[in-house]
Amino acid sequence: MSALLDLRGVTRVYDDGHEVMALRETDLTVQAGDHITITGPSGAGKSTLLNVLGLLDKPSRGQYLIQGVDSGAMTEAVRGAVRGQLFGFVFQAFHLLAGRTAVENVGLGMLYGPHSPKERGNRAAEALDRVRMSHRADADPRTLSGGEKQRVAIARAIAGEPAVLFCDEPTGNLDSVNTENLLELLHELHRDGLTLVIVTHDREVAARGDRILTVRDGSVTEAAGCP
Ligand SMILES: Nc1ncnc2c1ncn2[C@@H]1O[C@H](COP(=O)(O)OP(=O)(O)OP(=O)(O)O)[C@@H](O)[C@H]1O
Ligand SMILES: [Mg+2]
């Protein structure tokens, strides 16, 4: 069976005046059910790797297969549809819309998906319940704590029931108590079948991964697993 995600010799070069090789000749397969964490120094290429995997960015060279299908042959519309259906995203800065309620923010994550407005509302309510934020469904994000904002952002990312959740420094703006709560939530979601790919500077967050990748100067290595 095909891997869920499969990078084959993927290189990403940025060229705005001078060339930066952000990702070098990377081979990486992600299997359904993996919990992958990605660490490495600032500027090493971690976000680049995440963005390529999440179809937010394209390889300059090499192949990226998703469930066995070459993403290089997809139109923009198909890339967008695959991204919307298979992937959810959580970033350090939450990116919630002020002036909308928490539950509206979660619903907005499904705006371009296949669901009717009523179905989106139901799913948004369910997702908020899953992250234990139902009691603040009608709150403006400006009135939420950092930990609460990140839970709402996770609800938005999972409401469409993606196969993979990509997180880029999800605990970067959280204190240690909120980080622990978020790790517990991610653990539950993983246990319930969600594949996780998490970029983090935090050693404790990284250590929770079943597979721990390190990126240095665009090269990805994987720590050998315990037998
Ligand atoms: N849009 C861009 N244009 C040009 N160079 C870029 C662009 N995005 C990233 N880079 C460069 O590519 C390299 C990798 O960047 P990337 O954002 O992937 O690093 P990172 O490991 O996520 O770093 P951090 O931990 O600071 O977030 C860096 O040298 C960066 O300056
Ligand atoms: Mg980054």
Side-chain angles (χ1 to χ4, degrees), residues 62-78:
Q63 256 194 329
Y64 177 30
L65 311 184
I66 298 171
Q67 293 175 330
V69 178
D70 182 2
S71 66
M74 294 175 186
T75 62
E76 276 307 313
V78 171

Side-chain angles (χ1 to χ4, degrees), residues 195-225:
T195 301
L196 299 178
V197 180
I198 301 174
V199 166
T200 184
H201 276 106
D202 184 321
R203 280 165 187 265
E204 292 198 15
V205 178
R208 303 290 177 101
D210 301 329
R211 298 174 60 192
I212 302 176
L213 308 183
T214 305
V215 186
R216 279 200 182 83
D217 198 17
S219 297
V220 182
T221 52
E222 180 164 358

